[in-house]
Amino acid sequence: MSTVAVEASVIDGSGPLWVVPHEVPAIVPRSSRSTEPRWIGVYRWAALGGDLMAAVIGISIALLTRFGYEVGGAYLVISSLLPLAWVTGVALSKGYDARYYGSGPEELRSLLRAGVGLTAAIAILSYATKSEIARGFVVLAIPVTVLAALVLRYALRKDLHRHRLRGRCMHRVLVVGRTDPAATLCEHLESRPSDGYRVVATCRPRGTGRRSGPLQPDELDEADILAAVDRHAVEVVAVATDPELAGQSLRRLSWALEQRGVELIVSPGIIEVAGPRISVRPVAGLSLLHLERPSVSGGPHLMKAIFDRVVALAIIVALAPLLIGLALAVKLSSRGPVLFHQRRVGRAGAEFTMLKFRSMYADAEQRLGDLYALSDGNGVLFKVRDDPRMTPLGRWIRRFSLDELPQLFNVLRGEMSLVGPRPPLAEEVALYAADDSRRMLVKPGMTGLWQVSGRSDLSWDESVRLDLRYVDNWSMTLDLLILWKTLRAVFYGSGAY
């Protein structure tokens, strides 16, 4: 795809708006474009086909498991209708809404909602018609269908992300707002190509631009914004926080964009806050944005504590042979204790002893002072990529994070969680800024956003930002997602040293 570098220009010499094009693909005139990009239709049909395939897989497994090869005519009819009912349920749950393509959580949640809804619909229909549908068939068919659909949709989403990393399947975006908020919004939109937003131009009031001569009125004009939309053939207008473009002005702009088939998104200026904490509620004729307090205690965290202990105990039992084998290997490979004990700071500043399999020689602590100059850490954390204190076995178990398995016993004792911020040392806590200490509102975790995002390769600021994002947006769904991503991070060993 060819690109053209366009110099900064003004749509209308007498207008109050600067339009700064970015380096973008050659523009296709709006009159010659279809109302919907071709890739959206391809993705929708692929998602629909994947859901039908998932339904066929689930129903086939349920029929063979429940009835073998002797399937009655009634169940053949039911089996032929269930795929249609399934895709209808996904459609009603907004599973084919283009707004969520490639976004992940909302797209996958629509499949879960469809599965629950279809199960409820079958139960109600069976009761109303007094028909006898084998429970084993339903209990097996729908969960398998949902699981297969989740896997296929995940693969489809990953394929879309690969295309977006190459610059394809992107939404063309016009950012509107004053210089600083617009620049921040552009930076965030372009920081993750997988989200599918390419900023092709930014609009800002003429008064915020640097030029010779008197400044023009510092305002944003709807006519100039619409001219920029038509000129750059954009699909999305993103409005940065701006008091001049709100209320009735924003309402009229939304009407005009609706006629052009262009989506309008508005940034409230709130960063690192996930959707579940944000809600829009009508109050006195206004749509007010409500920001809920993060959940750091109460019922949800009691459920998290129970989940942590049950899963930790199950993993210990399942991996008992591996734990025993690693303990023997550590003992036989070098002199010293099997376990490494270290004081760490937990929730609310309470200290505890964290357990790890020893991966270094017994005199590692005494040799630490000689290595500070070689630190590959991030200014606060001490890390050496090729640490000479590490044993050959220690390098291998660190490569796959096996040295951290004894922390499962910390989880059983309630000192740690499976997922949470990184457990800090006391000397690290002494260097915390005021905002950093917010990380200790929850228990530290064996894994977390920091581990699935690069671990030791992260800067200190990035590590803190990820931990604070976790604290502010915790949910059981987020924990399960992090645990899933941890398996991949451990397998590839990214950032582990």
Side-chain angles (χ1 to χ4, degrees):
M1 186 179 290
S2 62
T3 60
V4 289
V6 189
E7 296 294 328
S9 61
V10 182
I11 289 180
D12 184 346
S14 61
L17 196 67
W18 285 99
V19 179
V20 184
H22 295 216
E23 186 162 333
V24 299
I27 297 172
V28 180
R30 177 171 293 278
S31 59
S32 65
R33 294 190 306 150
S34 61
T35 57
E36 185 177 81
R38 180 174 175 272
W39 71 265
I40 291 181
V42 173
Y43 190 97
R44 182 178 291 117
W45 281 108
L48 181 63
D51 291 340
L52 285 172
M53 183 185 300
V56 170
I57 292 172
I59 293 166
S60 299
I61 291 176
L63 287 175
L64 289 174
T65 303
R66 181 65 176 80
F67 304 107
Y69 293 97
E70 298 178 358
V71 181
Y75 279 96
L76 290 177
V77 173
I78 294 173
S79 299
S80 63
L81 294 176
L82 272 180
L84 298 177
W86 166 245
V87 296
T88 300
V90 175
L92 293 174
S93 301
K94 299 182 179 180
Y96 305 119
D97 193 326
R99 292 178 297 171
Y100 305 126
Y101 288 169
S103 64
E106 187 60 37
E107 190 176 14
L108 299 181
R109 273 196 291 266
S110 66
L111 299 176
L112 296 175
R113 287 195 298 266
V116 173
L118 183 57
T119 303
I122 291 175
I124 293 172
L125 185 63
S126 175
Y127 177 79
T129 60
K130 300 188 183 302
S131 57
E132 294 294 334
I133 300 178
R135 293 183 182 86
F137 171 75
V138 176
V139 168
L140 189 58
I142 295 180
V144 173
T145 296
V146 172
L147 180 61
L150 288 172
V151 172
L152 292 173
R153 191 67 70 95
Y154 177 80
L156 182 61
R157 183 165 63 91
K158 285 299 181 184
D159 183 63
L160 176 61
H161 288 177
R162 284 191 289 269
H163 282 286
R164 284 177 169 175
L165 291 175
R166 299 185 182 101
R168 308 178 194 136
C169 306
M170 306 290 282
H171 297 288
R172 297 170 59 85
V173 181
L174 172 70
V175 172
V176 179
R178 300 177 188 276
T179 302
D180 291 340
T184 300
L185 181 55
C186 287
E187 180 183 350
H188 281 276
L189 290 177
E190 294 181 329
S191 64
R192 289 184 50 177
S194 59
D195 288 340
Y197 292 103
R198 177 192 287 124
V199 179
V200 299
T202 57
C203 292
R204 63 177 186 266
R206 182 189 293 273
T208 63
R210 293 183 179 179
R211 64 187 186 93
S212 59
L215 296 178
Q216 298 295 321
D218 189 9
E219 62 180 14
L220 290 164
D221 186 82
E222 176 190 333
D224 285 334
I225 295 173
L226 296 177
V229 167
D230 293 334
R231 178 179 181 180
H232 295 281
V234 301
E235 299 156 351
V236 178
V237 171
V239 178
T241 306
D242 195 305
E244 297 295 332
L245 191 59
Q248 192 63 25
S249 299
L250 190 60
R251 189 183 186 194
R252 286 196 302 267
L253 178 62
S254 70
W255 291 342
L257 294 177
E258 180 184 349
Q259 294 175 354
R260 287 168 166 77
V262 176
E263 183 182 357
L264 174 66
I265 58 178
V266 180
S267 169
I270 301 173
I271 62 173
E272 302 294 357
V273 177
R277 286 186 56 205
I278 298 175
S279 60
V280 178
R281 304 174 197 167
V283 178
L286 300 174
S287 296
L288 300 183
L289 191 70
H290 290 252
L291 185 62
E292 308 294 344
R293 289 178 296 178
S295 173
V296 295
S297 62
H301 277 265
L302 176 60
M303 181 175 66
K304 175 182 172 70
I306 295 173
F307 174 82
D308 284 341
R309 285 175 168 83
V310 170
V311 173
L313 181 60
I315 294 175
I316 290 173
V317 172
L319 298 184
L322 175 62
L323 293 171
I324 295 172
L326 287 172
L328 291 173
V330 171
K331 185 65 178 177
L332 297 175
S333 63
S334 61
R335 291 187 299 106
V338 171
L339 294 177
F340 174 69
H341 300 75
Q342 191 174 49
R343 297 295 290 175
R344 296 288 180 116
V345 180
R347 185 179 182 184
E351 293 193 8
F352 68 97
T353 300
M354 189 181 74
L355 304 176
K356 299 177 71 172
F357 280 125
R358 182 175 57 82
S359 59
M360 295 185 176
Y361 293 105
D363 61 346
E365 292 295 312
Q366 289 72 32
R367 297 164 59 185
L368 179 61
D370 300 331
L371 299 175
Y372 272 116
L374 304 177
S375 176
D376 295 316
N378 48 35
V380 176
L381 303 181
F382 173 80
K383 286 283 185 178
V384 177
R385 191 175 296 273
D386 295 314
D387 198 324
R389 302 172 300 160
M390 202 173 300
T391 66
L393 176 66
R395 295 184 189 280
W396 183 80
I397 63 175
R398 279 204 179 189
R399 167 69 174 75
F400 296 101
S401 299
L402 297 176
D403 62 318
E404 299 178 3
L405 288 178
Q407 293 171 27
L408 290 167
F409 293 97
N410 290 116
V411 176
L412 274 182
R413 294 201 298 242
E415 300 162 338
M416 292 180 63
S417 174
L418 292 175
V419 182
R422 193 190 69 84
L425 295 164
E427 51 265 34
E428 295 170 14
V429 175
L431 300 175
Y432 277 5
D435 292 342
D436 300 349
S437 59
R438 187 173 175 80
R439 304 162 82 193
M440 294 185 291
L441 288 176
V442 298
K443 293 178 184 177
M446 291 183 62
T447 184
L449 283 175
W450 49 275
Q451 183 165 22
V452 300
S453 304
R455 289 192 273 189
S456 299
D457 291 335
L458 297 173
S459 69
W460 173 251
D461 288 341
E462 289 172 329
S463 176
V464 170
R465 178 176 58 83
L466 290 171
D467 282 343
L468 292 180
R469 180 192 297 177
Y470 176 82
V471 173
D472 284 342
N473 302 297
W474 174 83
S475 69
M476 284 302 301
T477 303
L478 179 60
D479 274 9
L480 294 175
L481 181 63
I482 291 173
L483 288 173
W484 170 257
K485 290 187 175 182
T486 297
L487 296 177
R488 179 179 178 181
V490 169
F491 179 78
Y492 286 106
S494 55
Y497 55 88

